[in-house]
Amino acid sequence: MDYALIESNDLDAGTGVVARGVRRTFGDVVAVDSMDLDVPPGRVTALVGPNGSGKTTLLLVLATLLAPDAGTVTVAGADPRTDPWEVRRRTGWMPDAFGTWETLTCREVLETVAAAYRLPRAGIRARVDELLELVHLADLADRPTQVLSRGQKQRLGLARALVHSPAVLLLDEPASGLDPRSRIELRGIVRDLATAGAAVLVSSHVLAELDTLADRAVFVSGGCTVSVRDLDVASAGPRTWTVRALDAGALERALDALGRVHGDPGVDGAVELELTGDDDAASLLSALVHDDVPVVSLRPSGGVLEQAYLSLTKERQ
Ligand SMILES: Nc1ncnc2c1ncn2[C@@H]1O[C@H](COP(=O)(O)OP(=O)(O)O)[C@@H](O)[C@H]1O
Ligand SMILES: [Mg+2]
């Protein structure tokens, strides 16, 4: 895939997004109670929380589309309340649902957005072509957007967010409706943007969607930030692993002899146990092989994000 258009940009996100004590109510509904959030440049930050936890409301505040009742926010160094145009100039916003001008074609949508951002007229055509290629919509460039599937609309929404080469990217549930291939491509695009220096925030209520997409996760619940985790596998700390051997009995005996606390074998003979990290996994595998246990696989159970989420709910019990 050709990401030249991303790499060639000078993405200066400044301090990215910094939000402190953000609150926003709608009548008696407290959508965002008190949220703190950092979205550093060069990294992909996930905003994770169940439906109704206030993710979209917070994103709308960051994107200058809602005023907060309290708290402070800076986006690429600018305050959305006092300097909304500067924030919009530096920020790409992808809403959860792609509201669009249904009769316009994909190309026309992107050209209209490019003109609204006052991109130099001479460069618009080429820029739009690049973006359509990037999100694999070149074949549908001249079709009205109303014929697009949900996943295709999501991809057009991503292209629309990227038109003006923003340094801060706010994506609300971008993976929802995407097929597996499009999701992998989304991950590639988002990763390249972060590598080029962009500050990327991606929300989702589906943990599995974010696992390989994000470097760090901010967990929210009931309108409040509840935890921030690094998702780097190596630094993820203790987590549950699954080990499976051809001979479940031999595996159990060996684990017991090694003094390893483990669960009961599942139907496939796989056993779960807590390991402290990659080094621990490597030394366990080496010991089992040394003991002639016919090990078939040793892998982390579930994703890093899922484990972080589970350990979080465990802590809160
Ligand atoms: N415009 C609105 N008017 C009234 N209530 C709203 C409005 N927008 C959001 N809410 C409420 O605020 C809460 C948080 O919503 P939202 O930010 O959309 O959560 P999430 O994106 O995490 O699902 C929900 O209870 C929702 O019903
Ligand atoms: Mg939402």
Side-chain angles (χ1 to χ4, degrees):
M1 222 177 291
D2 179 14
Y3 293 128
L5 81 159
I6 293 171
E7 279 149 13
S8 64
N9 293 330
D10 172 23
L11 299 179
D12 180 10
T15 51
V17 174
V18 180
R20 293 291 174 268
V22 173
R23 182 179 174 85
R24 170 70 203 211
T25 54
F26 298 99
D28 348 326
V29 179
V30 182
V32 173
D33 186 357
S34 175
M35 283 196 189
D36 298 326
L37 175 75
D38 290 284
V39 185
R43 306 197 69 190
V44 181
T45 301
L47 184 64
V48 193
N51 287 320
S53 53
K55 304 180 298 295
T56 295
T57 305
L58 178 66
L59 283 162
L60 288 167
V61 167
L62 302 180
T64 76
L65 301 172
L66 269 182
D69 298 337
T72 57
V73 178
T74 56
V75 179
D79 182 334
R81 268 185 298 196
T82 56
D83 214 354
W85 295 107
E86 180 60 11
V87 171
R88 288 181 197 186
R89 196 174 68 76
R90 316 272 306 264
T91 304
W93 159 243
M94 178 179 169
D96 56 352
F98 184 73
T100 181
W101 313 284
E102 298 267 296
T103 53
L104 293 190
T105 66
C106 297
R107 180 187 301 288
E108 286 165 347
V109 166
L110 297 180
E111 284 176 354
T112 305
V113 173
Y117 279 113
R118 304 198 194 292
L119 295 199
R121 193 175 286 254
I124 288 183
R125 177 88 192 188
R127 177 72 184 155
V128 167
D129 282 339
E130 278 176 330
L131 288 163
L132 288 168
E133 285 289 336
L134 182 75
V135 299
H136 298 279
L137 287 177
D139 291 348
L140 299 173
D142 299 311
R143 299 277 191 85
T145 58
Q146 62 194 357
V147 307
L148 300 184
S149 70
R150 173 161 169 81
Q152 289 165 341
K153 279 187 183 160
Q154 288 290 96
R155 275 145 56 195
L156 183 59
L158 179 63
R160 194 176 62 165
L162 296 176
V163 163
H164 56 304
S165 310
V168 174
L169 212 57
L170 307 171
L171 311 177
D172 198 5
E173 309 264 357
S176 111
L178 293 187
D179 58 39
R181 169 185 277 277
S182 302
R183 203 171 288 174
I184 291 167
E185 284 163 1
L186 170 72
R187 189 182 357 172
I189 294 169
V190 162
R191 177 57 53 203
D192 284 356
L193 284 159
T195 304
V200 186
L201 181 65
V202 180
S203 83
S204 181
H205 65 283
V206 183
L207 292 178
E209 283 180 357
L210 291 168
D211 215 358
T212 48
L213 195 71
D215 308 310
R216 32 195 313 281
V218 175
F219 293 94
V220 293
S221 174
C224 295
T225 307
V226 290
S227 176
V228 180
R229 293 293 165 102
D230 215 310
L231 300 178
D232 181 357
V233 179
S235 66
R239 55 191 298 215
T240 308
W241 291 63
T242 304
V243 55
R244 191 165 77 83
L246 290 178
D247 181 342
L251 173 63
E252 277 203 281
R253 283 191 297 279
L255 288 173
D256 291 339
L258 291 165
R260 295 280 190 168
V261 179
H262 60 84
D264 293 331
V267 276
D268 58 351
V271 168
E272 289 201 323
L273 74 169
E274 288 277 311
L275 298 179
T276 54
D278 285 359
D279 290 348
D280 196 19
S283 73
L284 174 68
L285 183 60
S286 151
L288 291 174
V289 170
H290 181 263
D291 291 346
D292 289 330
V293 178
V295 175
V296 179
S297 65
L298 173 65
R299 59 183 170 75
S301 321
V304 182
L305 196 56
E306 187 179 293
Q307 295 225 347
Y309 189 77
L310 290 176
S311 71
L312 175 74
T313 50
K314 213 187 283 175
E315 274 166 22
R316 300 178 74 212
Q317 277 165 5

